[in-house]
Amino acid sequence: MEENIPKCSICMHQYTNETFLRPCFHSFCFECICYWINITPDSAQCPICRQKIKSLVYNVDEEEDDFDEYFLNDQKKHHEPPLHRRRTLSPTEKIRLQRRQVYKGLFRTCHYPEPLPRHSDFTVITPEHIPRASIFLGHELAAIHDVDSVDPFVVNHITQILLIPYNTKMKQMGDSTVIKKISEWLKDDKDNALAERLLNELIAYLKSGLSYRDFVSSAIYEP
């Protein structure tokens, strides 16, 4: 079980005050990433993906819906201690943070909402599913990439990939070709795990018949 405990990539221990980086949203212990930034102050980059770090999101309190955020450019301009910018997470931001944790592998699925009777024999996504699938993809891709919105072109392209099984008379959605094609549009998906998880979540959502917010509120996950 210890192998499944999320760990900081710097100290290789369980997180202490897990801190997320913007814009990549990789996470580390607060003290670890501060030390990392201090030894490379002029070119602070994420230790994992090497993107330039814009800010640190830390002291995340999901129950109180708030967090602290420190913008690195403040330090360069003012040469002052970190600015504590506490604010309340909006409902959309809270959902996005929770969903990103699902895709980072920090949460595993315990229970999806029950499928509607008419969807119990669901096998492949059809053109009728695309409007709802597009809504879901817009939200989930924003969570995966930590952005406010996703280019409609990307959503449209992935929906066309999702129709491959329907158009080619496949019997199921989990074909390796489909998953690989979806993976090409996801950031940091080296082993196709993100694409596979996204597809599973999408299918459960479509089967449920629920709205996006109702689905993510009803699905049960645990660390």
Side-chain angles (χ1 to χ4, degrees):
M1 290 296 293
E2 187 174 350
E3 295 180 356
N4 296 325
I5 297 176
K7 297 179 181 178
C8 170
S9 299
I10 296 177
C11 68
M12 301 307 296
H13 293 294
Q14 189 171 354
Y15 291 111
T16 300
N17 190 0
E18 185 175 12
T19 299
F20 300 89
L21 311 185
R22 291 189 190 273
C24 66
F25 228 78
H26 286 124
S27 60
F28 309 89
C29 297
F30 180 74
E31 290 188 3
C32 290
I33 194 60
C34 286
Y35 175 77
W36 174 270
I37 291 172
N38 285 336
I39 62 176
T40 58
D42 296 326
S43 59
Q45 299 176 336
C46 171
I48 295 177
C49 67
R50 301 301 179 183
Q51 286 194 64
K52 185 175 181 180
I53 302 171
K54 293 184 178 180
S55 67
L56 310 181
V57 177
Y58 61 106
N59 290 341
V60 177
D61 188 333
E62 293 187 13
E63 292 185 0
E64 296 296 330
D65 293 348
D66 62 16
F67 60 92
D68 285 331
E69 184 163 13
Y70 171 50
F71 294 84
L72 268 63
N73 60 350
D74 288 336
Q75 185 181 35
K76 292 182 179 180
K77 289 180 180 178
H78 306 295
H79 302 286
E80 296 175 350
L83 298 178
H84 291 263
R85 301 187 174 186
R86 181 168 290 277
R87 65 183 180 86
T88 300
L89 285 171
S90 70
T92 299
E93 288 174 321
K94 182 179 180 182
I95 290 175
R96 188 181 303 154
L97 177 60
Q98 292 172 336
R99 298 304 292 172
R100 183 159 179 79
Q101 290 175 320
V102 169
Y103 288 104
K104 286 181 64 179
L106 300 184
F107 293 162
R108 64 183 182 86
T109 307
C110 292
H111 174 74
Y112 284 132
E114 291 295 325
L116 293 177
R118 66 176 182 272
H119 296 322
S120 59
D121 58 349
F122 181 102
T123 54
V124 298
I125 292 174
T126 70
E128 294 180 355
H129 295 122
I130 294 305
R132 277 173 47 79
S134 297
I135 293 173
F136 183 87
L137 289 172
H139 288 294
E140 298 293 90
L141 292 173
I144 291 172
H145 296 294
D146 188 33
V147 294
D148 292 332
S149 61
V150 178
D151 190 331
F153 171 81
V154 176
V155 174
N156 181 67
H157 189 82
I158 293 180
T159 58
Q160 296 308 307
I161 295 173
L162 292 171
L163 286 174
I164 290 176
Y166 172 80
N167 292 329
T168 57
K169 310 300 182 183
M170 293 181 185
K171 295 183 178 181
Q172 59 181 0
M173 288 300 303
D175 180 78
S176 59
T177 302
V178 173
I179 292 175
K180 184 176 181 180
K181 286 181 177 293
I182 294 174
S183 178
E184 293 172 355
W185 291 83
L186 303 179
K187 182 172 63 177
D188 299 331
D189 191 20
K190 296 179 181 179
D191 57 359
N192 300 337
L194 271 178
E196 189 170 354
R197 185 65 183 265
L198 177 62
L199 186 57
N200 289 337
E201 296 287 318
L202 172 60
I203 291 173
Y205 160 75
L206 292 174
K207 284 184 174 182
S208 73
L210 298 173
S211 68
Y212 176 76
R213 285 183 179 272
D214 286 343
F215 172 79
V216 298
S217 298
S218 301
I220 300 175
Y221 306 89
E222 68 176 23

